Amino acid sequence: MKNCWHFDSPIGLLTIAEDGIGITDLFLRKNQIFKGFQEKRTPLLQEAQRQLGAYFAGKLREFRLSLSLHGTNFQLADWAALQTIPYGETRSYGQIAAQLGKPEACRAVGGANSRNPAMIFVPCHRVICADGSLGGFSSGEEIKRFLLELEKAHRSSE
């Protein structure tokens, strides 16, 4: 059973979940039914919420949380690659595919990104199209733009 906690953020009501090992999920809450979740504010969830608050305030650039992600081997490799993109920078789908040793797998990278269970912690919002357009984002283009602009604004203030 996963423990989860909901809280307001600048992008809406977020839900964080953990399984006793690490963070398993971070997503916008949109009238979901949470089967297999119990609402319980654990120390790990409190720390995740604290770090997210610091991130949204522009004071945290790298999360220090244990993650417990589950997916296919390709998804796990993609999500690990996303975590290497520095704060305030972007990479193209093609660059991530090349980093994974599969330069023709741009669409597969997009598919894996769309299944990322822990947005922001695993920064899929930092992946854009080769032409500079935003591309897709499971939580919506306006949220992707917000996150990129937030990071750009705070990165330039270093």
Side-chain angles (χ1 to χ4, degrees), residues 10-119:
I11 60 172
L13 186 63
L14 290 174
T15 297
I16 311 172
E18 58 95 356
D19 63 2
I21 298 169
I23 299 296
T24 59
D25 302 90
L26 172 64
F27 51 89
L28 280 169
R29 184 172 180 183
K30 296 179 183 174
N31 300 321
Q32 287 104 334
I33 297 172
F34 296 98
K35 292 185 179 180
F37 289 77
Q38 67 177 354
E39 290 193 30
K40 181 179 179 185
R41 192 169 185 201
T42 66
L44 179 56
L45 295 176
Q46 286 179 305
E47 178 59 18
Q49 181 179 352
R50 185 196 68 73
Q51 288 189 33
L52 282 166
Y55 168 82
F56 285 120
K59 296 177 181 174
L60 184 124
R61 287 164 172 72
E62 186 176 322
F63 294 99
R64 291 183 176 16
L65 294 166
S66 176
L67 300 178
S68 180
L69 306 176
H70 303 279
T72 66
N73 288 339
F74 184 83
Q75 288 169 339
L76 292 170
D78 175 68
W79 301 336
L82 299 180
Q83 292 175 72
T84 68
I85 305 171
Y87 178 93
E89 294 184 21
T90 59
R91 299 291 183 270
S92 71
Y93 293 94
Q95 287 173 309
I96 297 298
Q99 183 176 340
L100 296 173
K102 299 179 184 276
E104 303 300 319
C106 299
R107 288 187 182 184
V109 165
N113 289 3
S114 72
R115 289 171 185 78
N116 171 12
M119 68 170 201

Side-chain angles (χ1 to χ4, degrees), residues 55-56 120 125 143-151:
Y55 168 82
F56 285 120
I120 304 174
H125 62 277
I143 292 176
K144 184 172 187 171
R145 182 175 289 108
F146 175 88
L147 295 172
L148 290 171
E149 289 175 1
L150 171 84
E151 292 183 10

